[in-house]
Amino acid sequence: MKLTFPPVETEEQIMELAQLAAEIWREYYVSIITMEQIDFMIGKFQSAQAIKDQIHQQGYEYYSIQNDGHAVGYMSVRQEEGKLFLSKFYIAKEHRGHGYASKAMVFLVQLCQERSLSDIWLTVNRHNEASIAVYEKKGFQIVREQVADIGNGYVMDDYVMEKAIELRVT
């Protein structure tokens, strides 16, 4: 197994990621939210155009999670006020449970250390018990609750979780 985290930059990479995102979201979230909300959120946040806008206009960085050159998941991050916001972190169903999330977390911690960022923070649906358990295992703690109106009558009912990063002393 050779796990790598190449940045997503080209039009082709963005199209491939958007397709992977749609597959993962439709499989994973159907037990938590309606298919209508999933489709709305994919269009708003994970379509090729939305990803392109996030990268080129909103300061997000997308990374493919690849095992031997094959995409098994993806992440999206943005630096904000001395912290790293982990906006997206997904692994395809058939690749879960193989340690990819742990290796991706090591990559994110190293990114924080290289950039002198003090924390990684994220939002997670309050009913997404499996992901909350994974994040807690990786050292994240719930710091508050947040409800965000995302339009079309939908809200994201989330926990905000944070993980402190030990900065290297040079």
Side-chain angles (χ1 to χ4, degrees), residues 3-170:
L3 211 61
T4 57
F5 308 98
V8 174
E9 300 167 328
T10 69
E11 188 85 24
E12 184 181 351
Q13 290 169 326
I14 290 170
M15 296 294 285
E16 288 173 6
L17 187 130
Q19 185 176 351
L20 177 64
E23 291 169 14
I24 292 172
W25 281 47
R26 287 191 176 104
E27 172 272 321
Y28 189 81
Y29 282 111
V30 73
S31 65
I32 301 172
I33 57 178
T34 65
M35 192 56 79
E36 290 79 14
Q37 183 171 351
I38 293 167
D39 288 339
F40 174 77
M41 291 177 71
I42 290 170
K44 184 170 176 122
F45 300 118
Q46 296 293 263
S47 66
Q49 187 60 53
I51 293 167
K52 203 181 315 178
D53 290 347
Q54 290 168 33
I55 292 170
H56 297 298
Q57 297 170 13
Q58 299 170 25
Y60 285 90
E61 302 165 56
Y62 273 80
Y63 295 92
S64 181
I65 301 172
Q66 296 192 357
N67 182 19
D68 293 326
H70 300 286
V72 298
Y74 69 100
M75 320 178 261
S76 170
V77 299
R78 182 170 71 179
Q79 283 184 219
E80 296 182 352
E81 301 169 7
K83 298 180 180 186
L84 190 71
F85 172 47
L86 178 55
S87 174
K88 310 282 183 291
F89 189 39
Y90 295 101
I91 297 181
K93 182 178 185 174
E94 62 273 20
H95 298 287
R96 293 181 199 137
H98 297 284
Y100 299 150
S102 295
K103 288 181 174 57
M105 197 56 63
V106 169
F107 171 80
L108 293 172
V109 167
Q110 289 172 336
L111 202 63
C112 288
Q113 290 171 332
E114 289 166 9
R115 298 177 184 186
S116 299
L117 303 174
S118 63
D119 298 88
I120 301 173
W121 72 278
L122 57 87
T123 59
V124 60
N125 184 295
R126 290 184 343 159
H127 305 289
N128 189 346
E129 294 168 7
S131 291
I132 292 167
V134 168
Y135 290 131
E136 288 177 336
K137 190 176 173 186
K138 305 289 178 228
F140 285 82
Q141 297 179 324
I142 296 170
V143 294
R144 69 179 183 277
E145 296 178 16
Q146 136 183 322
V147 177
D149 184 337
I150 58 170
N152 220 36
Y154 299 118
V155 297
M156 292 194 305
D157 186 9
D158 294 334
Y159 288 128
V160 175
M161 299 184 79
E162 274 192 13
K163 172 185 175 77
I165 302 301
E166 273 189 50
L167 298 179
R168 291 190 196 127
V169 180
T170 51

